Amino acid sequence: MSNVGAAVNLAWGRLHVMREYHFFQSCRSRMAYLVSALIVLLFTLLGLHFVWPLGVLMLVFLVPITLFLVKRFFLRRELFTVDAAGITDRTAVICAGHIPWSEIVAFRLYTNDRFVVLQVAVTSYEAFCGRFQGLHRAPLRLNGRIHTMPIQIYLARRDCDPNELLPVLRAQYARHHPEAQ
């Protein structure tokens, strides 16, 4: 095979790889879950030992929290994905969830010292918020009133490279919105 053919194959391979972007939970944040679980468990045991009635109450409420934190430590979650189906956000407790490309009107990516922020505008923000339950819906609606692009996805700068994310976003958006080119 000639060098030109090899270069074309290499470029095609790069293009194929750049169609998806996966962002996993970092080891540092997973370690924070474990440390938090140990601190909560320590407070529970101290409360159980020194303050008997309060310790039992702490045991009832804090042990499930400890188990939740330990589970989150061992779970290697995909926090953010850009693929052919759309953008999937699981970066926070109140997050956007899955946003299909058919609903995405525009996006903007900007960075600061700590975060890479992806802002997404959808066709109908009220319909988008309607998919969520009450306590999840209220902060999303408030976010839509505050920002120019209502959906904000914050990714830690140390784990997310905007130079890798932006071409994937552009390629997927162009693939699903050919009229925008």
Side-chain angles (χ1 to χ4, degrees):
M1 182 181 286
S2 69
N3 288 339
V4 174
V8 169
N9 286 341
L10 180 62
W12 174 252
R14 235 186 252 137
L15 179 67
H16 181 68
V17 169
M18 293 302 287
R19 289 196 181 258
E20 292 187 0
Y21 186 86
H22 301 277
F23 177 72
F24 288 92
Q25 191 174 23
S26 69
C27 291
R28 182 184 280 173
S29 62
R30 289 176 63 205
M31 194 55 112
Y33 284 126
L34 185 63
V35 169
S36 300
L38 291 174
I39 290 171
V40 169
L41 186 63
L42 178 69
F43 276 117
T44 304
L45 293 175
L46 288 174
L48 193 60
H49 184 265
F50 290 112
V51 187
W52 174 248
L54 182 64
V56 172
L57 189 63
M58 289 174 68
L59 187 69
V60 169
F61 288 107
L62 295 180
V63 165
I65 292 172
T66 304
L67 293 175
F68 170 76
L69 292 170
V70 168
K71 178 185 154 200
R72 294 290 292 261
F73 171 73
F74 288 109
L75 185 66
R76 185 170 187 256
R77 265 181 10 145
E78 219 174 38
L79 296 179
F80 177 75
T81 306
V82 176
D83 57 11
I87 298 173
T88 305
D89 171 35
R90 292 186 203 103
T91 56
V93 174
I94 297 178
C95 59
H98 178 72
I99 311 166
W101 287 110
S102 59
E103 292 182 18
I104 297 174
V105 176
F107 66 88
R108 182 176 17 187
L109 190 72
Y110 70 90
T111 61
N112 60 26
D113 291 342
R114 295 183 58 208
F115 295 104
V116 173
V117 182
L118 174 63
Q119 296 179 325
V120 180
V122 292
T123 52
S124 172
Y125 191 66
E126 285 301 317
F128 175 77
C129 289
R131 295 189 286 183
F132 299 100
Q133 300 299 320
L135 289 177
H136 197 140
R137 186 182 310 161
L140 283 174
R141 282 192 174 151
L142 180 64
N143 200 27
R145 290 186 187 116
I146 294 172
H147 299 287
T148 56
M149 286 192 162
I151 301 171
Q152 309 279 322
I153 302 172
Y154 290 86
L155 304 168
R157 177 77 185 244
R158 67 176 181 269
D159 301 324
C160 177
D161 184 11
N163 295 327
E164 291 179 9
L165 177 58
L166 189 59
V168 175
L169 285 167
R170 285 182 178 155
Q172 288 292 348
Y173 186 79
R175 183 172 164 212
H176 291 87
H177 298 278
E179 72 282 355
Q181 291 180 352

